[in-house]
């Protein structure tokens, strides 16, 4: 068993899959549900600005809206915020200093720019701040979400200013990886804090079985806890807010390019940051467990036959075992199971067939 585990973890490392413990390698073959974070896991994690829509009848033009948006988002570490800031920098839009900055988990951010207090976030945040949206604006938000884009809403204390839509592209390997999970009989769930329409659009592109949207950062852990009551669960994520869920899952898998906290919390780290390495890790786990069972079978059979023979149980039938041959046979037993374990080096963890 230890030799098979050692060879299995070595094979994983050779393919950019860092397995931190033998327990993780042994548990992975039992996984029946995989939960995938969206941003940075299924998608590239490097979203770009796609639409800029100013509120009808407002004097603020797109440049002013972007200046407010970029100034506010400069204080946020979220990938969507980074996309807006990068867009402003690329288009030479000057950003102002922000005071009284505050991040509201799962809703958005707020801050003061040039003496005016602004809000940036989702519809829920606008409702809480008393900002009313027209039917046309709500339709625009729904339409953007259907297209898989995330609409970020901006307002001051009195009125709605506009929408900046950001889209994150699905990684080329994500759809292939999700199909592999399904080939292995594993249920695939996408877990995200995005609104339901946007999440379902991304989910359709990736081909996942189920989408759980609108989950607050501190709610991912409770979702994993409830799923564990139905079977063995693996969680794949890359962000700081994924760390509790990665720890709670039976097997936590972190994207190598993700946050250090997520990498530390995970049992398995994908050094190449490819989602397709997750089904490869599960295939490697299954091959390792099969190898262990083979080793145990042959070791027991070998000893069941050899020990009574060496003890003289078959003397009356003229069957005996010279101690020197007994010692050689014992060494040969170890040689056989170690050689069998080394066969794992020939395991193809990225097969073309189902």
């Amino acid at each position: 068993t230890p030799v098979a585990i050692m060879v299995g973890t070595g094979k994983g490392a050779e393919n950019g899959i860092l397995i931190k413990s033998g327990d993780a390698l042994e548990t992975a073959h039992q996984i029946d549900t995989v939960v995938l974070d969206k941003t940075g896991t299924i998608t590239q994690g490097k979203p770009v600005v796609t639409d800029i829509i100013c509120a009808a009848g407002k004097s603020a033009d797109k440049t002013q809206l972007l200046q407010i948006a970029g100034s506010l988002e400069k204080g946020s570490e979220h990938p969507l915020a980074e996309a807006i800031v990068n867009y402003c920098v690329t288009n030479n839009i000057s950003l102002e200093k922000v005071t009284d900055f505050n991040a509201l988990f799962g809703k958005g951010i707020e801050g003061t720019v040039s003496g005016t207090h602004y809000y940036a976030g989702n519809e829920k945040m606008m409702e809480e701040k008393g900002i009313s949206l027209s039917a046309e604006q709500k339709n625009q938000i729904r339409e953007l979400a259907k297209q898989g884009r995330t609409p970020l809403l901006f307002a001051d204390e009195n009125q709605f200013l506009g929408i900046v839509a950001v889209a994150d592209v699905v990684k080329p390997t994500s759809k292939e990886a999700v199909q592999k999970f399904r080939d292995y009989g594993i249920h695939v769930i996408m877990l995200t804090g995005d609104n339901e329409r946007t999440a379902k659009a991304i989910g359709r592109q990736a081909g996942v079985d189920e989408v759980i949207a609108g989950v607050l950062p501190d709610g991912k852990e409770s979702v994993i806890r409830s799923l564990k009551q139905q079977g063995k669960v693996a969680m794949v994520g890359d962000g700081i807010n994924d760390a509790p869920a990665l720890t709670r899952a039976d097997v936590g898998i972190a994207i190598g390019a993700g946050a250090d906290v997520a990498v530390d919390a995970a049992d398995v780290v994908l050094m190449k940051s490819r989602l397709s390495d997750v089904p490869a890790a599960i295939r490697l786990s299954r091959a390792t467990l099969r190898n262990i069972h083979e080793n145990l079978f042959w070791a027991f059979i070998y000893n069941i036959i050899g020990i009574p023979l060496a003890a003289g149980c078959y003397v009356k039938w003229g069957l005996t075992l010279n101690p020197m041959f007994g010692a050689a046979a014992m060494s040969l037993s170890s040689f056989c199971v170690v050689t069998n374990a080394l066969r794992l080096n020939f395991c193809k963890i990225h097969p073309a067939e189902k």
Side-chain angles (χ1 to χ4, degrees):
T1 296
V3 177
I5 294 289
M6 182 182 70
V7 176
T9 52
K11 182 69 176 176
E14 185 183 304
N15 287 272
I17 303 168
L18 178 61
I19 301 167
K20 295 183 181 180
S21 68
D23 287 343
L25 184 62
E26 290 186 64
T27 306
H29 83 287
Q30 300 174 314
I31 296 300
D32 49 37
T33 302
V34 169
V35 180
L36 307 174
D37 174 52
K38 181 181 81 69
T39 306
T41 302
I42 289 179
T43 62
Q44 296 278 12
K46 294 180 180 178
V48 292
V49 173
T50 56
D51 302 85
I52 303 159
I53 305 168
C54 293
K58 304 302 178 202
S59 58
D61 61 11
K62 289 184 178 181
T63 302
Q64 287 175 306
L65 176 60
L66 282 169
Q67 188 176 47
I68 293 164
S71 299
L72 279 174
E73 299 290 2
K74 189 170 60 173
S76 174
E77 295 179 352
H78 198 281
L80 300 182
E82 187 180 344
I84 293 176
V85 174
N86 288 341
Y87 187 86
C88 291
V89 171
T90 304
N91 290 275
N92 299 316
I93 295 171
S94 59
L95 303 181
E96 303 290 330
K97 185 180 179 182
V98 179
T99 56
D100 302 323
F101 180 85
N102 185 29
L104 306 170
F105 257 20
K107 297 172 187 173
I109 56 175
E110 60 180 330
T112 302
V113 180
S114 302
T116 305
H117 200 69
Y118 294 99
Y119 306 110
N122 54 25
E123 280 189 81
K124 188 175 181 181
M125 183 181 188
M126 296 296 131
E127 287 173 13
E128 289 183 3
K129 300 300 180 182
I131 307 298
S132 59
L133 301 174
S134 67
E136 182 187 352
Q137 287 159 354
K138 288 181 179 179
N139 284 335
Q140 286 175 330
I141 293 166
R142 280 194 288 270
E143 192 58 38
L144 289 167
K146 278 182 185 176
Q147 296 168 17
R149 301 171 187 177
T150 302
L152 302 173
L153 315 184
F154 294 87
D156 59 23
E157 291 180 300
N158 303 312
Q159 59 193 3
F160 178 67
L161 300 177
I163 305 167
V164 177
V166 180
D168 196 1
V169 182
V170 173
K171 288 180 183 178
T173 57
S174 293
K175 192 170 183 179
E176 175 194 339
V178 170
Q179 187 56 52
K180 279 288 181 188
F181 288 132
R182 299 177 79 173
D183 290 345
Y184 291 172
I186 295 171
H187 186 66
V188 188
I189 299 173
M190 187 180 85
L191 187 63
T192 177
D194 275 3
N195 67 69
E196 194 168 349
R197 291 188 189 89
T198 303
K200 284 188 174 178
I202 297 294
R204 280 194 299 273
Q205 291 176 36
V208 300
D209 298 309
E210 185 181 346
V211 174
I212 301 176
V215 181
L216 294 175
D218 54 354
K220 291 185 177 181
E221 188 268 344
S222 60
V223 171
I224 297 297
R225 193 188 313 130
S226 63
L227 288 171
K228 281 181 68 175
Q229 295 173 2
Q230 302 164 30
K232 293 287 184 181
V233 179
M235 169 71 191
V236 187
D238 72 320
I240 293 171
N241 56 10
D242 296 323
L246 290 169
T247 305
R248 173 64 65 178
D250 294 295
V251 179
I253 303 172
I255 302 296
D260 290 345
V261 176
V263 171
D264 288 343
D267 304 301
V268 178
V269 181
L270 309 179
M271 303 307 295
K272 295 180 182 177
S273 301
R274 299 183 309 195
L275 194 57
S276 56
D277 283 340
V278 182
I282 292 172
R283 184 179 177 86
L284 179 61
S285 171
R286 292 180 177 183
T288 303
L289 263 291
R290 185 167 58 248
N291 192 283
I292 288 170
H293 294 155
E294 289 168 358
N295 282 352
L296 290 172
F297 173 80
W298 287 113
F300 276 116
I301 291 296
Y302 206 89
N303 286 314
I304 286 169
I305 296 170
I307 290 173
L309 184 61
C313 296
Y314 309 130
V315 171
K316 62 180 179 179
W317 293 290
L319 296 173
T320 58
L321 188 65
N322 185 292
M324 287 186 292
F325 287 112
M330 196 67 247
S331 299
L332 188 62
S333 168
S334 298
F335 175 78
C336 289
V337 293
V338 169
T339 304
N340 188 49
L342 291 173
R343 285 194 313 110
L344 278 171
N345 283 308
F346 301 106
C347 172
K348 293 181 181 179
I349 63 174
H350 289 287
E353 73 280 0
K354 282 195 179 183

